[in-house]
């Protein structure tokens, strides 16, 4: 107890680590003393001991220490150090082969409540650890965490542009929660006014289309039918999906499949809609690549890129050429070989631009003719 009262935090943290390393009972006085000792090093020491000795602790002991850490997490400084450790709870080298995901489900909601809205999930660790928790069997106990994540997304979108990693919540909602639990969260996400975020959300909802309830499918359709200025970009996600739901496709273009030629597709869609879908498919310009809604592998758009790269009369000619230059090969050579002689200077300019960026050497292609 004397060391727990030391002036230096590092001494108190080491004392706490040693104290909780040994299974104990009836140490309410120690726990009460640490309740208000909001020092990051102490919180880290407690978390490590919880992780290492979780399986040998009684439920009563687990609850007492979780309550202690939850109370300490009211401090933004402590919430920050807990966050960077909880997102690696799936790492064997830190928490063993069978990590106690109860630490994540119990503590992360308190952590998220204390962290500033500027907290970033850009490196993907947060989404990854939640996914691992689901694989381990966690389900409805993730509701508080997922609800707060959604609220954080909504707050951050008011001042920041978020990446796909930071927006990758919809698949976790569908995998972990019941329709009743996730319904209000999905409704909240679809209510944001950020085009890129909505593209990501709709893309994931389409991927899990068969697992959605009718009310969720209806919400997606209604969002796509809203008279919005960015309507073509939201619809572009449907048009470029691997397997566009026939009900959505029919509502948007009057067809159940995009089994069309490029010319027929351009006639079916407005010019603005076709162009938006084309850019969404290739993921250019930014931030379309960052949202990871690109290159879904649909036959129609693969063929459209090849066709447009062979048509100098089309405004998308150079863009389509640049897309084929990402992975130069037979498709690029075939497209160039069909270009009229009068437009070869434009082809050469595009090749030269890419060679200067270090992505392609036009000499290798020219020598192939």
């Amino acid at each position: 107890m004397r060391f727990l009262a030391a002036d230096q935090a590092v001494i108190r943290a080491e004392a706490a680590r040693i104290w909780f390393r040994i299974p104990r009972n009836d140490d309410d006085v120690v726990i009460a003393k640490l309740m208000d000792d909001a020092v990051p090093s102490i919180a880290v020491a407690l978390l490590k001991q919880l992780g290492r000795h979780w399986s040998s602790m009684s439920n009563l002991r687990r609850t007492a220490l979780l309550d202690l850490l939850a109370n300490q997490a009211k401090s933004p400084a402590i919430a920050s150090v807990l966050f960077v450790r909880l997102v690696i709870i799936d790492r064997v080298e830190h928490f063993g082969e069978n990590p106690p995901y109860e630490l994540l489900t119990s503590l992360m909601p308190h952590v998220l409540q204390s962290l500033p809205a500027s907290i970033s999930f850009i490196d993907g660790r947060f989404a990854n650890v939640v996914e691992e928790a689901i694989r381990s069997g966690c389900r409805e106990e993730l509701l508080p965490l997922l609800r707060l994540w959604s609220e954080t997304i909504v707050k951050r979108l008011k001042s920041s542009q978020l990446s796909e990693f930071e927006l990758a919540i919809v698949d976790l909602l569908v995998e972990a929660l019941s329709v009743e639990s996730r319904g209000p969260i999905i409704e909240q996400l679809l209510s944001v006014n950020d085009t890129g975020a909505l593209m990501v959300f709709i893309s994931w909802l389409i991927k899990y289309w068969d697992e959605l309830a009718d009310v969720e499918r209806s919400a997606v359709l209604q969002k796509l039918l809203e008279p919005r200025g960015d309507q073509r970009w939201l619809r572009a996600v449907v048009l470029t999906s691997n397997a566009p739901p026939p009900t959505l496709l029919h509502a948007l273009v009057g067809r159940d499949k995009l089994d069309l030629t490029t010319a027929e597709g351009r006639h079916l869609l407005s010019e603005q809609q076709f162009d938006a879908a084309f850019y969404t498919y290739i993921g250019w310009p930014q931030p379309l690549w960052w949202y990871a809604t690109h290159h879904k592998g649909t036959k129609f758009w693969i063929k459209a890129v090849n066709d447009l790269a062979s048509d100098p009369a089309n405004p998308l000619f150079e863009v389509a050429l640049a897309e084929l230059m990402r992975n130069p090969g037979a498709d690029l050579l075939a497209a160039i070989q069909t270009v009229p002689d009068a437009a070869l200077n434009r082809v050469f300019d595009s090749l030269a631009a890419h060679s200067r960026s270090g992505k392609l050497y036009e000499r290798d292609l020219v020598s192939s003719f």
Side-chain angles (χ1 to χ4, degrees):
M1 286 291 292
R2 186 171 73 252
F3 290 111
L4 289 172
D7 292 336
Q8 292 80 12
V10 66
I11 294 177
R12 300 199 304 276
E14 181 63 13
R17 184 189 69 80
I18 294 172
W19 183 268
F20 291 111
R21 183 177 60 186
I22 301 171
R24 300 176 189 273
N25 294 301
D26 301 323
D27 59 348
D28 295 345
V29 174
V30 174
I31 292 176
K33 186 172 186 60
L34 292 174
M35 271 289 182
D36 299 319
D37 198 354
V39 176
S41 57
I42 293 178
V44 171
L46 285 171
L47 181 65
K48 287 182 177 179
Q49 294 311 307
L50 261 174
R52 289 170 182 166
H53 304 293
W54 182 264
S55 61
S56 62
M57 289 182 178
S58 66
N59 288 334
L60 188 64
R61 185 65 167 172
R62 292 173 181 175
T63 300
L65 296 186
L66 284 172
D67 288 345
L68 170 55
L69 279 173
N71 185 71
Q72 290 195 340
K74 293 177 182 178
S75 160
I78 291 182
S80 179
V81 299
L82 290 178
F83 178 82
V84 298
R85 285 160 178 82
L86 287 172
V87 295
I88 57 172
I89 199 172
D90 58 319
R91 301 287 184 84
V92 174
E93 64 270 27
H94 293 290
F95 289 91
E97 294 185 358
N98 297 297
Y101 285 103
E102 293 91 339
L103 295 179
L104 180 74
T105 59
S106 298
L107 294 176
M108 189 60 86
H110 298 283
V111 168
L112 292 178
Q113 283 181 317
S114 299
L115 289 175
S118 59
I119 182 66
S120 174
F121 306 146
I122 196 168
D123 65 0
R125 290 182 180 178
F126 183 75
N128 180 73
V129 77
V130 176
E131 184 176 357
E132 291 300 322
I134 293 172
R135 288 178 182 172
S136 76
C138 295
R139 291 295 182 272
E140 292 292 327
E141 58 267 39
L142 285 165
L143 174 58
L145 183 159
L146 291 168
R147 184 189 292 123
L148 283 164
W149 183 5
S150 174
E151 293 173 3
T152 300
I153 288 173
V154 173
K155 289 177 184 176
R156 292 201 65 213
L157 283 172
K158 294 177 181 178
S159 59
S160 304
Q161 184 179 75
L162 306 187
S163 72
E164 188 268 343
F165 279 131
E166 298 172 284
L167 298 168
I169 185 175
V170 170
D171 57 325
L172 305 176
L173 291 171
V174 176
E175 291 176 3
L177 303 180
S178 65
V179 174
E180 293 74 21
S181 295
R182 71 184 185 235
I185 302 177
I186 290 178
E187 182 180 355
Q188 179 187 45
L189 295 173
L190 288 177
S191 70
V192 302
N193 204 35
D194 185 279
T195 303
L198 286 172
M199 290 175 71
V200 174
F201 299 150
I202 290 172
S203 176
W204 280 107
L205 288 167
I206 289 174
K207 181 176 180 179
Y208 284 85
W209 191 255
D210 291 341
E211 299 177 41
L212 300 183
D214 288 342
V215 65
E216 294 169 320
R217 295 174 184 170
S218 177
V220 175
L221 178 58
Q222 291 306 310
K223 179 59 62 174
L224 293 168
L225 294 177
E226 279 184 11
R228 303 169 53 95
D230 60 357
Q231 184 188 73
R232 66 187 184 278
W233 294 105
L234 305 188
R235 294 183 175 189
V237 175
V238 180
L239 296 171
T240 58
S241 296
N242 280 329
T247 53
L248 291 184
L249 207 54
H250 194 274
L252 300 184
V253 299
R255 297 179 62 92
D256 294 339
K257 296 181 179 179
L258 280 181
D259 49 351
L260 306 165
T261 65
T262 302
E264 290 170 338
R266 290 185 63 79
H267 180 74
L268 176 68
L269 305 173
S270 69
E271 182 178 357
Q272 279 193 330
Q273 183 63 81
F274 184 94
D275 289 357
F278 180 83
Y279 285 123
T280 298
Y281 172 74
I282 67 173
W284 186 86
Q286 291 288 24
L288 292 174
W289 188 278
W290 294 336
Y291 293 136
T293 56
H294 56 85
H295 293 101
K296 296 296 184 181
T298 54
K299 292 181 179 179
F300 174 80
W301 293 105
I302 293 173
K303 184 65 165 60
V305 169
N306 289 316
D307 289 343
L308 295 175
S310 306
D311 182 8
N314 193 287
L316 295 174
F317 171 61
E318 275 89 358
V319 181
L321 266 179
E323 168 63 16
L324 292 182
M325 290 176 197
R326 290 184 190 273
N327 295 292
D331 288 341
L332 177 58
L333 289 173
I336 294 174
Q337 287 172 334
T338 62
V339 173
D341 290 348
L344 286 178
N345 61 322
R346 292 168 62 189
V347 174
F348 186 84
D349 288 343
S350 294
L351 294 174
H354 268 67
S355 70
R356 285 193 296 271
S357 67
K359 295 181 179 178
L360 182 70
Y361 291 95
E362 72 273 16
R363 180 181 59 192
D364 297 336
L365 280 162
V366 171
S367 66
S368 299
F369 289 99

